[in-house]
mmCIF file of all heavy atoms in Angstrom:
data_model
loop_
_atom_site.group_PDB
_atom_site.id
_atom_site.type_symbol
_atom_site.label_atom_id
_atom_site.label_comp_id
_atom_site.label_asym_id
_atom_site.label_seq_id
_atom_site.Cartn_x
_atom_site.Cartn_y
_atom_site.Cartn_z
ATOM 1 N N THR A 886 28.934 147.907 207.324
ATOM 2 C CA THR A 886 28.906 146.719 208.115
ATOM 3 C C THR A 886 30.263 146.525 208.773
ATOM 4 O O THR A 886 31.271 147.131 208.316
ATOM 5 C CB THR A 886 28.593 145.497 207.242
ATOM 6 O OG1 THR A 886 29.602 145.365 206.248
ATOM 7 C CG2 THR A 886 27.227 145.628 206.573
ATOM 8 N N ASP A 888 32.428 144.240 208.584
ATOM 9 C CA ASP A 888 33.458 143.717 207.702
ATOM 10 C C ASP A 888 33.486 144.396 206.315
ATOM 11 O O ASP A 888 34.226 143.989 205.425
ATOM 12 C CB ASP A 888 33.320 142.186 207.505
ATOM 13 C CG ASP A 888 31.991 141.817 206.862
ATOM 14 O OD1 ASP A 888 31.180 142.723 206.534
ATOM 15 O OD2 ASP A 888 31.763 140.614 206.652
ATOM 16 N N SER A 889 32.657 145.428 206.161
ATOM 17 C CA SER A 889 32.541 146.253 204.932
ATOM 18 C C SER A 889 31.958 145.509 203.747
ATOM 19 O O SER A 889 31.886 146.056 202.646
ATOM 20 C CB SER A 889 33.889 146.880 204.553
ATOM 21 O OG SER A 889 34.749 145.983 203.854
ATOM 22 N N SER A 890 31.502 144.278 203.944
ATOM 23 C CA SER A 890 30.787 143.548 202.886
ATOM 24 C C SER A 890 29.308 143.919 202.899
ATOM 25 O O SER A 890 28.774 144.396 203.910
ATOM 26 C CB SER A 890 30.914 142.047 203.070
ATOM 27 O OG SER A 890 32.267 141.612 202.821
ATOM 28 N N PHE A 891 28.638 143.690 201.792
ATOM 29 C CA PHE A 891 27.230 144.045 201.663
ATOM 30 C C PHE A 891 26.344 143.284 202.661
ATOM 31 O O PHE A 891 26.731 142.212 203.170
ATOM 32 C CB PHE A 891 26.713 143.770 200.261
ATOM 33 C CG PHE A 891 27.399 144.585 199.200
ATOM 34 C CD1 PHE A 891 28.055 143.946 198.126
ATOM 35 C CD2 PHE A 891 27.351 145.953 199.227
ATOM 36 C CE1 PHE A 891 28.646 144.699 197.139
ATOM 37 C CE2 PHE A 891 27.951 146.714 198.257
ATOM 38 C CZ PHE A 891 28.624 146.074 197.206
ATOM 39 N N LEU A 892 25.157 143.804 202.885
ATOM 40 C CA LEU A 892 24.091 143.095 203.568
ATOM 41 C C LEU A 892 23.018 142.784 202.519
ATOM 42 O O LEU A 892 22.522 143.684 201.869
ATOM 43 C CB LEU A 892 23.509 143.962 204.691
ATOM 44 C CG LEU A 892 22.191 143.511 205.306
ATOM 45 C CD1 LEU A 892 22.402 142.239 206.068
ATOM 46 C CD2 LEU A 892 21.620 144.599 206.193
ATOM 47 N N ALA A 893 22.675 141.513 202.399
ATOM 48 C CA ALA A 893 21.626 141.102 201.449
ATOM 49 C C ALA A 893 21.051 139.808 201.967
ATOM 50 O O ALA A 893 21.617 138.713 201.772
ATOM 51 C CB ALA A 893 22.168 140.922 200.023
ATOM 52 N N LEU A 906 18.588 144.967 202.105
ATOM 53 C CA LEU A 906 19.737 145.146 201.246
ATOM 54 C C LEU A 906 20.433 146.436 201.611
ATOM 55 O O LEU A 906 19.818 147.512 201.594
ATOM 56 C CB LEU A 906 19.284 145.192 199.777
ATOM 57 C CG LEU A 906 20.360 145.385 198.712
ATOM 58 C CD1 LEU A 906 21.389 144.266 198.751
ATOM 59 C CD2 LEU A 906 19.720 145.464 197.314
ATOM 60 N N GLY A 907 21.718 146.374 201.985
ATOM 61 C CA GLY A 907 22.418 147.594 202.386
ATOM 62 C C GLY A 907 23.893 147.332 202.568
ATOM 63 O O GLY A 907 24.493 146.434 201.993
ATOM 64 N N GLY A 908 24.480 148.158 203.444
ATOM 65 C CA GLY A 908 25.934 148.063 203.668
ATOM 66 C C GLY A 908 26.742 148.539 202.478
ATOM 67 O O GLY A 908 27.881 148.110 202.267
ATOM 68 N N GLY A 909 26.169 149.438 201.665
ATOM 69 C CA GLY A 909 26.805 149.814 200.424
ATOM 70 C C GLY A 909 27.955 150.768 200.578
ATOM 71 O O GLY A 909 28.780 150.879 199.664
ATOM 72 N N SER A 910 28.027 151.516 201.705
ATOM 73 C CA SER A 910 29.095 152.489 201.889
ATOM 74 C C SER A 910 29.165 153.358 200.641
ATOM 75 O O SER A 910 28.155 153.800 200.092
ATOM 76 C CB SER A 910 30.412 151.787 202.169
ATOM 77 O OG SER A 910 31.467 152.709 202.346
ATOM 78 N N HIS A 912 30.487 152.306 197.802
ATOM 79 C CA HIS A 912 30.643 151.489 196.620
ATOM 80 C C HIS A 912 29.387 150.771 196.182
ATOM 81 O O HIS A 912 29.371 150.089 195.180
ATOM 82 C CB HIS A 912 31.759 150.467 196.836
ATOM 83 C CG HIS A 912 31.616 149.655 198.093
ATOM 84 N ND1 HIS A 912 32.252 149.995 199.253
ATOM 85 C CD2 HIS A 912 30.905 148.557 198.359
ATOM 86 C CE1 HIS A 912 31.937 149.108 200.193
ATOM 87 N NE2 HIS A 912 31.122 148.231 199.684
ATOM 88 N N GLY A 913 28.294 150.920 196.948
ATOM 89 C CA GLY A 913 27.098 150.176 196.646
ATOM 90 C C GLY A 913 26.528 150.466 195.253
ATOM 91 O O GLY A 913 26.153 149.596 194.505
ATOM 92 N N PHE A 914 26.456 151.775 194.906
ATOM 93 C CA PHE A 914 25.873 152.138 193.619
ATOM 94 C C PHE A 914 26.713 151.605 192.445
ATOM 95 O O PHE A 914 26.178 151.137 191.465
ATOM 96 C CB PHE A 914 25.718 153.661 193.516
ATOM 97 C CG PHE A 914 25.066 154.097 192.234
ATOM 98 C CD1 PHE A 914 23.716 153.911 192.042
ATOM 99 C CD2 PHE A 914 25.808 154.656 191.201
ATOM 100 C CE1 PHE A 914 23.085 154.298 190.855
ATOM 101 C CE2 PHE A 914 25.218 155.073 190.030
ATOM 102 C CZ PHE A 914 23.855 154.876 189.864
ATOM 103 N N HIS A 916 28.538 149.012 192.358
ATOM 104 C CA HIS A 916 28.377 147.569 192.238
ATOM 105 C C HIS A 916 26.927 147.173 191.965
ATOM 106 O O HIS A 916 26.643 145.971 191.856
ATOM 107 C CB HIS A 916 28.871 146.883 193.546
ATOM 108 C CG HIS A 916 30.368 146.915 193.705
ATOM 109 N ND1 HIS A 916 31.115 145.775 193.881
ATOM 110 C CD2 HIS A 916 31.247 147.943 193.747
ATOM 111 C CE1 HIS A 916 32.356 146.073 194.035
ATOM 112 N NE2 HIS A 916 32.492 147.398 193.962
ATOM 113 N N GLY A 917 26.059 148.134 191.914
ATOM 114 C CA GLY A 917 24.634 147.863 191.845
ATOM 115 C C GLY A 917 24.200 146.892 190.738
ATOM 116 O O GLY A 917 23.472 145.920 191.025
ATOM 117 N N LEU A 920 25.422 143.358 191.664
ATOM 118 C CA LEU A 920 24.752 142.867 192.884
ATOM 119 C C LEU A 920 23.294 142.554 192.595
ATOM 120 O O LEU A 920 22.779 141.536 193.085
ATOM 121 C CB LEU A 920 24.880 143.919 194.000
ATOM 122 C CG LEU A 920 24.256 143.543 195.340
ATOM 123 C CD1 LEU A 920 24.931 142.330 195.922
ATOM 124 C CD2 LEU A 920 24.352 144.750 196.294
ATOM 125 N N ARG A 937 28.012 135.276 203.009
ATOM 126 C CA ARG A 937 28.831 136.405 203.442
ATOM 127 C C ARG A 937 27.984 137.651 203.716
ATOM 128 O O ARG A 937 28.411 138.529 204.466
ATOM 129 C CB ARG A 937 29.870 136.737 202.373
ATOM 130 C CG ARG A 937 30.940 135.702 202.173
ATOM 131 C CD ARG A 937 31.853 136.103 201.056
ATOM 132 N NE ARG A 937 31.152 136.256 199.785
ATOM 133 C CZ ARG A 937 31.700 136.757 198.675
ATOM 134 N NH1 ARG A 937 32.937 137.207 198.704
ATOM 135 N NH2 ARG A 937 30.960 136.843 197.564
ATOM 136 N N PHE A 938 26.811 137.726 203.086
ATOM 137 C CA PHE A 938 25.996 138.926 203.224
ATOM 138 C C PHE A 938 24.811 138.728 204.175
ATOM 139 O O PHE A 938 23.874 139.507 204.202
ATOM 140 C CB PHE A 938 25.431 139.311 201.817
ATOM 141 C CG PHE A 938 26.505 139.508 200.767
ATOM 142 C CD1 PHE A 938 26.219 139.349 199.426
ATOM 143 C CD2 PHE A 938 27.805 139.873 201.132
ATOM 144 C CE1 PHE A 938 27.195 139.495 198.457
ATOM 145 C CE2 PHE A 938 28.794 140.043 200.156
ATOM 146 C CZ PHE A 938 28.497 139.875 198.823
ATOM 147 N N ALA A 939 24.881 137.688 205.016
ATOM 148 C CA ALA A 939 23.777 137.335 205.886
ATOM 149 C C ALA A 939 23.646 138.305 207.064
ATOM 150 O O ALA A 939 24.572 139.070 207.375
ATOM 151 C CB ALA A 939 23.931 135.903 206.387
ATOM 152 N N ARG A 943 29.428 139.759 212.522
ATOM 153 C CA ARG A 943 30.533 139.635 211.549
ATOM 154 C C ARG A 943 31.853 140.050 212.196
ATOM 155 O O ARG A 943 31.858 140.860 213.142
ATOM 156 C CB ARG A 943 30.272 140.537 210.325
ATOM 157 C CG ARG A 943 29.016 140.206 209.571
ATOM 158 C CD ARG A 943 28.933 140.976 208.270
ATOM 159 N NE ARG A 943 27.673 140.775 207.570
ATOM 160 C CZ ARG A 943 27.399 141.260 206.375
ATOM 161 N NH1 ARG A 943 28.316 142.029 205.755
ATOM 162 N NH2 ARG A 943 26.253 141.010 205.805
ATOM 163 N N LEU A 949 36.543 146.816 200.814
ATOM 164 C CA LEU A 949 36.091 147.647 199.677
ATOM 165 C C LEU A 949 36.163 149.146 199.987
ATOM 166 O O LEU A 949 35.549 149.942 199.278
ATOM 167 C CB LEU A 949 34.698 147.255 199.260
ATOM 168 C CG LEU A 949 34.574 145.872 198.618
ATOM 169 C CD1 LEU A 949 33.122 145.521 198.364
ATOM 170 C CD2 LEU A 949 35.379 145.811 197.354
#
Side-chain angles (χ1 to χ4, degrees):
T886 60
D888 62 0
S889 81
S890 291
F891 296 122
L892 167 68
L906 179 60
S910 180
H912 52 264
F914 182 73
H916 288 237
L920 182 61
R937 293 177 300 171
F938 304 155
R943 299 188 185 185
L949 292 176

